[in-house]
Amino acid sequence: AIYVLKSGTIEFKRYRRVSHNPAYVLSHLPLVESSWKSRTARPRTGVAGSQTSKKSRGQSGRKHTPREDLGEEVVCDRMEDEGVFCTLPFFPLHCVEPFSVVASSPIEVFHAGGQDVKKIAGDCLASIRKHLLWQLKERIRKL
């Protein structure tokens, strides 16, 4: 998918260490709390982690709070008011996304995916992919 930011601000975030990212850690562990609690923070709940300020209860009935010693996502880059970004399958690369993209202000964004991307002319699509891949490489290089 490709996204065109018309207005607002988005942030590209990631964990400093892969071992701090609950998605990576939980991907190969059983969902039993004892198997992951010492290795990673409890994943955020709600849409895009919107309920981080609320304490929730797990199956054990105990309150869960994020493990402060296991890291938080850090902002690696920002895009303000205008810009274009995409998911990795747009290139097409089918692997884990290196960043979480989060709106840090109200945004207006346009989206094209699947069949819409196939309608983009070949030469134009190649140029867009080349530019977006360069942006992604620069973003990763800054890490």
Side-chain angles (χ1 to χ4, degrees):
I2 184 169
Y3 300 87
V4 177
L5 178 67
K6 182 178 178 186
S7 64
T9 303
I10 59 169
E11 296 176 334
F12 295 84
K13 295 181 167 189
R14 68 179 283 129
Y15 287 88
R16 287 195 191 276
R17 296 174 164 245
V18 172
S19 62
H20 292 172
N21 185 339
Y24 290 122
V25 175
L26 295 176
S27 69
H28 65 277
L29 293 173
L31 292 180
V32 178
E33 181 180 342
S34 61
S35 72
W36 56 264
K37 190 171 183 180
S38 65
R39 298 178 188 193
T40 188
R42 181 182 185 280
R44 295 178 298 174
T45 56
V47 176
S50 61
Q51 296 179 8
T52 55
S53 63
K54 295 180 180 180
K55 292 183 179 176
S56 59
R57 295 184 182 270
Q59 290 180 340
S60 66
R62 295 189 312 259
K63 290 183 179 180
H64 291 283
T65 55
R67 292 271 315 266
E68 303 215 359
D69 59 326
L70 293 176
E72 287 288 320
E73 284 183 304
V74 294
V75 176
C76 300
D77 198 7
R78 284 187 174 80
M79 186 178 288
E80 296 183 44
D81 294 326
E82 293 179 347
V84 179
F85 61 100
C86 66
T87 58
L88 292 180
F90 179 76
F91 290 122
L93 295 172
H94 299 284
C95 53
V96 178
E97 295 285 347
F99 300 99
S100 298
V101 179
V102 180
S104 59
S105 71
I107 63 170
E108 185 174 2
V109 67
F110 300 97
H111 164 266
Q115 296 301 319
D116 294 330
V117 171
K118 291 179 181 178
K119 294 176 185 175
I120 299 173
D123 292 344
C124 185
L125 185 59
S127 295
I128 293 169
R129 283 180 172 152
K130 183 178 178 180
H131 176 72
L132 291 174
L133 188 56
W134 177 83
Q135 280 185 339
L136 177 62
K137 286 191 317 190
E138 287 299 305
R139 210 168 270 130
I140 290 172
R141 191 178 60 76
K142 290 182 201 176
L143 295 178

